[in-house]
Amino acid sequence: MPELVFFSGTMDCGKSTLALQIGHNRSARGLQGVIFTRDDRAGEGKLSSRLGLVTDAVEAAPGMDLYGYLVEQMSHGAKVDYVIVDEAQFLAPEQIDQLARIVDDLDLDVFAFGITTDFRTKLFPGSQRLIELADRVETLQVEAMCWCGARATHNARTLAGEMVVEGEQVVVGDVAGSAAEVGYEVLCRRHHRRRMTSAAAHAGALSPDVLPVTSA
């Protein structure tokens, strides 16, 4: 039976790489798919991974009817065997409903990839709707790591190297840009709570995590 599967995880856990791998495996078997994405780091209409892999995709713009797009393509003779959606957290809840309709009415597998929570640890509306509707929710097993070496569980937004907890939910940034620009970093819960990014941790001579020691 076709399924709506949501692959979730923090940044740097290989979501886009797995999306590309799924597409490659199916195309190698003669299957043809449609790839949707939103606000990819490589630019509009691209699906890319941090490993340097990139492929063309359909930009799922705000207000776009994803179900209607596929019906139109198929009615004009396009062969569609599956659907991949990257950066699914950026989709509107109604677009997630359309993905479920693609599975139920068109009998196509839909593989959605995205971050579950934002830099404030709040659910993205698209991710929340995926959790509500998906046949399966899969947490990626490749663990991103906090600067301290612990498993990273939270996404942090930085400005000039300092963590910020207010602002628009969606601001496109990078993980390797100038320190003066908006950036993102993955942190463990402890350091997200303490707002301690890698830049902040390296600013002091002593780590705040070191227990205080008093001389006898």
Side-chain angles (χ1 to χ4, degrees):
M1 292 288 292
E3 289 184 310
L4 172 57
V5 186
F6 179 33
F7 294 93
S8 68
T10 62
M11 297 180 301
D12 296 336
C13 71
K15 295 182 301 299
S16 298
T17 302
L18 179 57
L20 288 163
Q21 185 67 54
I22 286 177
H24 170 77
N25 290 351
R26 279 160 176 72
S27 64
R29 297 295 180 266
L31 302 178
Q32 297 181 27
V34 170
I35 300 175
F36 291 110
T37 191
R38 169 83 64 83
D39 293 336
D40 188 271
R41 68 183 70 83
E44 183 174 329
K46 298 292 182 182
L47 166 57
S48 66
S49 78
R50 289 191 174 89
L51 297 181
L53 305 173
V54 63
T55 191
D56 291 330
V58 177
E59 187 74 13
M64 179 180 181
D65 184 344
L66 307 183
Y67 174 84
Y69 175 87
L70 284 180
V71 169
E72 181 179 3
Q73 295 297 307
M74 296 169 74
S75 67
H76 286 83
K79 183 177 184 289
V80 181
D81 298 304
Y82 62 92
V83 175
I84 290 173
V85 186
D86 198 30
E87 307 292 0
Q89 73 273 7
F90 294 145
L91 300 184
E94 56 268 24
Q95 290 177 310
I96 303 302
D97 290 345
Q98 293 159 13
L99 296 181
R101 188 180 179 190
I102 289 169
V103 176
D104 296 338
D105 293 358
L106 302 181
D107 292 326
L108 300 177
D109 282 314
V110 176
F111 306 100
F113 299 81
I115 296 169
T116 306
T117 57
D118 65 15
F119 69 104
R120 303 166 301 183
T121 72
K122 304 297 183 183
L123 285 169
F124 282 99
S127 298
Q128 177 178 333
R129 192 62 178 147
L130 273 166
I131 292 170
E132 293 166 346
L133 291 183
D135 297 293
R136 286 190 290 127
V137 177
E138 301 281 354
T139 301
L140 270 68
Q141 298 304 307
V142 176
E143 294 184 351
M145 296 179 66
C146 178
W147 60 264
C148 69
R151 177 174 177 264
T153 55
H154 292 65
N155 304 297
R157 179 182 294 172
T158 61
L159 183 61
E162 295 187 2
M163 180 174 158
V164 294
V165 294
E166 296 181 352
E168 295 293 329
Q169 186 174 54
V170 179
V171 175
V172 178
D174 200 359
V175 295
S178 167
E181 299 174 348
V182 172
Y184 290 91
E185 182 177 349
V186 289
L187 300 173
C188 63
R189 185 181 63 232
R190 173 188 300 177
H191 290 126
H192 192 279
R193 288 179 56 246
R194 297 178 181 179
R195 303 185 186 182
M196 188 175 296
T197 64
S198 58
H202 297 151
L206 292 177
S207 167
D209 289 335
V210 176
L211 293 175
V213 177
T214 58
S215 58

